């Protein structure tokens, strides 16, 4: 339930329940973003390490592994940008329904 589309009533218990639900959803999204960020940093470190190792080797294996890691990193970063854009769009108030007071 997005905050912009939530049916907020004057009932304090309903508002508290809605707030708790929003907090749980926010925490889940924050953990997801944190996990993605850690995966991205891990891949960047692996790529850097592999590039250093490749300098001393003439093996195509390192080159292939680096390319695969870079592709995976690009997919994660692209997915993260799309997720951020989607989250911003969901939380943006609908101008046709008027703003919140």
């Amino acid at each position: 339930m997005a905050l912009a589309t939530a049916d907020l009533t004057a009932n304090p218990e309903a508002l508290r329940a809605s707030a708790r639900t929003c907090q749980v959803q926010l925490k889940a999204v924050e953990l997801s973003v944190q996990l993605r960020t850690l995966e991205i940093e891990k891949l960047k470190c692996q790529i850097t390490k592999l590039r250093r190792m490749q300098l001393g080797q003439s093996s195509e294996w390192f080159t292939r592994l680096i390319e695969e890691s870079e592709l995976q990193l690009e997919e994660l970063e692209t997915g993260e940008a799309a997720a951020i854009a989607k989250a911003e769009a969901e939380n943006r108030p609908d101008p046709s329904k008027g703003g919140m007071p």
Side-chain angles (χ1 to χ4, degrees):
M1 167 175 58
L3 183 59
T5 60
D7 180 26
L8 300 177
T9 64
N11 182 346
E13 284 304 313
L15 289 173
R16 283 187 195 97
S18 177
R20 283 191 294 271
T21 301
C22 288
Q23 288 173 336
V24 169
Q25 290 174 345
L26 177 62
K27 187 64 174 176
V29 170
E30 286 174 344
L31 290 174
S32 175
V33 169
Q34 185 179 19
L35 177 63
R36 239 176 223 239
T37 302
L38 290 173
E39 288 177 17
I40 288 170
E41 291 303 316
K42 177 184 170 192
L43 282 170
K44 286 180 179 179
C45 289
Q46 286 178 344
I47 291 168
T48 302
K49 181 180 176 183
L50 288 170
R51 283 192 177 135
R52 281 192 212 125
M53 292 171 69
Q54 184 185 27
L55 293 176
Q57 302 280 334
S58 61
S59 173
E60 292 180 11
W61 179 81
F62 284 109
T63 303
R64 188 174 58 245
L65 191 57
I66 290 170
E67 289 171 354
E68 290 172 3
S69 296
E70 286 174 335
L71 179 61
Q72 190 177 7
L73 174 64
E74 183 180 329
E75 289 172 354
L76 280 172
E77 288 177 331
T78 303
E80 182 178 30
I84 290 170
K86 181 181 177 187
E88 288 175 353
E90 287 177 354
N91 290 327
R92 197 172 298 130
D94 187 358
S96 66
K97 294 183 180 181
M100 290 181 58

